[in-house]
Amino acid sequence: MEVIIVAREEDVAKIAADRVQQQIHQKRDSVLGLATGGTPLRLYDELESRVQKKSISFAAVTTFNLDEYVGLPPDHRQSYAYYMDKHLFSRIDIDREKTFLPSCPDRKYVTRTCEDFEQALRASGGIELQILGIGTNGHIGFNEPTSSLRSSTRVKTLTKQTVRDNSRFFRSGEEQPSLGITMGIGTILKSKRALLIATGNGKATALAQAIEGPLSAMCPASALQLHPNATFVIDIDAASRLSQRAYYLWVMASKDRLERSAEG
Ligand code: F6R
């Protein structure tokens, strides 16, 4: 796994945007996996600005989101479909027909929604670059601790901690769903590249467990240790509990030296 530690939140967004740009430059009709939450907001701002500067185009790109609340229609202000529209899709040149979320406004259809989502993923040829955040409890998507490491898209009951962490996005008194549909860990592991971004002290323990802890269903993000091409881009605060921090910085410096000598 590649661990990139940077000084500021803005650097996390820039490096992640560079990776998205490289992917789309390599293949204009790339299939991307996307996340919601607070962490990717700067990345999405950065992508919008690159589209405006014409450095990148999403015209041929297909996207699949990791997760969605069960029971919220796409036009609900707290749905992830609404979030994606507001923070990314309405601001870039993407074809909405090529954007997929596991939306399930009616709980009756959850099984069908999960099957259709996996089918659409297969039909697309699979995710080439998956963007991920991490929960304070180590979740990725809505794969909460004890999720099967081979799981595919399914319904998960959110932990109290996740409900609490996400309550900041809901107005007081507003009903907050406790069920989510999420790509499974097995689904995420099938992506060709995975890029996890994280910032702030609140993520430090989860990241230490994910990167250095044992592979365990208790920290779903630790499953990325099995991924053939996973990168973590994190800021100094989020890296504060990594015991091998000096080593990751040393690897980064060595790569820089090699690149500079190859250029010179
Ligand atoms: C949301 C998702 C979640 C978030 C995680 C961190 O689509 O995949 O796993 O990435 O809950 O959320 P923030 O970024 O709000 O701390």
Side-chain angles (χ1 to χ4, degrees):
M1 292 194 302
E2 188 185 14
V3 180
I4 300 177
I5 302 171
V6 293
R8 298 166 312 154
E9 269 188 71
E10 301 89 274
D11 304 323
V12 171
K14 288 223 166 66
I15 293 175
D18 287 348
R19 296 287 172 110
V20 172
Q21 187 167 329
Q22 277 159 18
Q23 175 63 47
I24 297 177
H25 281 176
Q26 242 169 48
K27 188 166 171 278
R28 57 185 293 280
D29 59 347
S30 286
V31 181
L32 303 181
L34 299 177
T36 57
T39 316
L41 290 174
R42 280 177 191 271
L43 164 64
Y44 295 155
D45 288 345
E46 181 66 27
L47 292 175
E48 179 197 12
S49 119
R50 292 184 191 201
V51 168
Q52 275 170 10
K53 288 187 208 136
K54 305 225 179 297
S55 327
I56 185 174
S57 168
F58 286 80
V61 166
T62 298
T63 64
F64 286 88
N65 263 79
L66 281 164
D67 46 10
E68 177 61 285
Y69 288 115
V70 173
L72 298 191
D75 59 354
H76 189 289
R77 293 180 68 82
Q78 308 304 345
S79 73
Y80 287 169
Y82 189 92
Y83 167 107
M84 287 311 299
D85 205 53
K86 177 170 171 196
H87 296 293
L88 189 66
F89 299 154
S90 63
R91 298 158 65 189
I92 58 172
D93 58 343
I94 200 160
D95 173 358
R96 306 288 174 96
E97 296 288 308
K98 296 199 181 103
T99 65
F100 296 86
L101 283 101
S103 284
C104 187
D106 186 336
R107 287 175 63 161
K108 272 198 312 241
Y109 302 115
V110 282
T111 309
R112 178 78 193 277
T113 304
C114 296
E115 284 167 7
D116 288 354
F117 188 77
E118 283 282 338
Q119 171 55 33
L121 262 170
R122 279 193 296 276
S124 75
I127 292 174
E128 283 154 319
L129 176 64
Q130 174 67 57
I131 306 294
L132 296 160
I134 184 169
T136 54
N137 63 1
H139 74 208
I140 44 176
F142 274 145
N143 293 287
E144 299 286 32
T146 72
S147 286
S148 155
L149 301 184
R150 286 216 170 145
S151 47
S152 55
T153 302
R154 71 209 183 293
V155 178
K156 282 298 290 181
T157 302
L158 309 186
T159 59
K160 285 191 177 160
Q161 187 174 342
T162 297
V163 171
R164 221 175 14 249
D165 287 348
N166 287 355
S167 64
R168 68 191 196 277
F169 297 115
F170 289 79
R171 281 191 286 255
S172 86
E174 197 170 24
E175 199 188 330
Q176 191 180 343
S178 57
L179 290 181
I181 291 190
T182 182
M183 263 186 218
I185 299 179
T187 319
I188 294 169
L189 291 179
K190 282 188 199 148
S191 59
K192 293 202 179 84
R193 293 199 172 118
L195 181 69
L196 188 148
I197 54 176
T199 57
N201 270 316
K203 301 293 173 66
T205 302
L207 282 168
Q209 287 169 354
I211 297 170
E212 297 176 342
L215 175 67
S216 163
M218 286 309 290
C219 178
S222 69
L224 293 172
Q225 294 171 24
L226 294 174
H227 194 287
N229 195 333
T231 301
F232 287 71
V233 186
I234 62 183
D235 71 359
I236 281 280
D237 291 338
S240 58
R241 286 182 177 262
L242 293 176
S243 68
Q244 302 302 305
R245 197 169 62 233
Y247 172 66
Y248 309 130
L249 292 167
W250 165 247
V251 172
M252 284 166 64
S254 309
K255 270 192 193 154
D256 271 1
R257 268 198 307 278
L258 277 175
E259 275 163 25
R260 273 201 303 275
S261 67
E263 280 162 14

